[in-house]
Amino acid sequence: MKIYLCGSMRDCELRDQLLDALKDHEILDPNSHKLTDEKSYTEWDLNAIRECNCVVAFMDSSNPSGYGMSLEIGYAHGLGKTVIYLDALGNDWRQKYFGMVRSVSRTVQSIAEFQHALAHRDAD
């Protein structure tokens, strides 16, 4: 399965855990293209979302805003893609601003829940 990964572009433990959990899938990872021009990387990202079967998004304290991730999730939802959102913000003050993301996603709180959601992504 082709999976588009969105969330923090920084190296973080959660990103590493997700990549490990996805090792048997083809990952379309914006962190891999190294594009710096906004138009070029946005085009690459949106094309990858069109190509994927599922979008996996994660938000934790290493992500400074979540604006890009939110756009990617909205685009994927508009295309009818399955979106699994790993919400690792906990009590972070930004939690209240991700209601729309949670409403269009299968929201999970842990890697174990994520793996279950991915295995049963068509059950909902």
Side-chain angles (χ1 to χ4, degrees):
M1 172 175 17
K2 281 187 183 180
I3 296 177
Y4 180 79
L5 181 64
C6 61
S8 181
M9 298 299 285
R10 298 180 163 121
D11 290 329
C12 67
E13 185 177 337
L14 183 57
R15 182 180 237 297
D16 293 342
Q17 291 173 352
L18 278 170
L19 287 170
D20 187 52
L22 295 169
K23 66 182 176 243
D24 294 330
H25 301 280
E26 181 180 348
I27 307 302
L28 303 172
D29 184 357
N31 215 18
S32 68
H33 60 58
K34 308 298 182 205
L35 298 169
T36 57
D37 173 68
E38 291 173 349
K39 185 173 174 89
S40 297
Y41 68 68
T42 300
E43 184 178 319
W44 188 98
D45 293 358
L46 297 181
N47 185 58
I49 293 169
R50 285 190 296 274
E51 288 181 21
C52 75
N53 305 102
C54 177
V55 170
V56 170
F58 68 99
M59 183 67 188
D60 68 352
S61 60
S62 74
N63 192 326
S65 69
Y67 295 133
M69 180 196 73
S70 296
L71 173 115
E72 293 164 325
I73 289 172
Y75 186 66
H77 176 71
L79 293 173
K81 304 289 181 172
T82 298
V83 178
I84 301 172
Y85 170 57
L86 176 53
D87 181 356
L89 279 174
N91 291 325
D92 189 290
W93 65 272
R94 297 172 292 172
Q95 181 65 267
K96 65 184 175 183
Y97 298 109
F98 287 89
M100 290 177 81
V101 166
R102 289 187 297 273
S103 74
V104 299
S105 307
R106 180 136 183 217
T107 303
V108 298
Q109 306 292 318
S110 69
I111 294 293
E113 284 182 47
F114 162 73
Q115 289 173 311
H116 183 266
L118 184 62
H120 299 93
R121 68 182 180 85
D122 295 324
D124 292 334

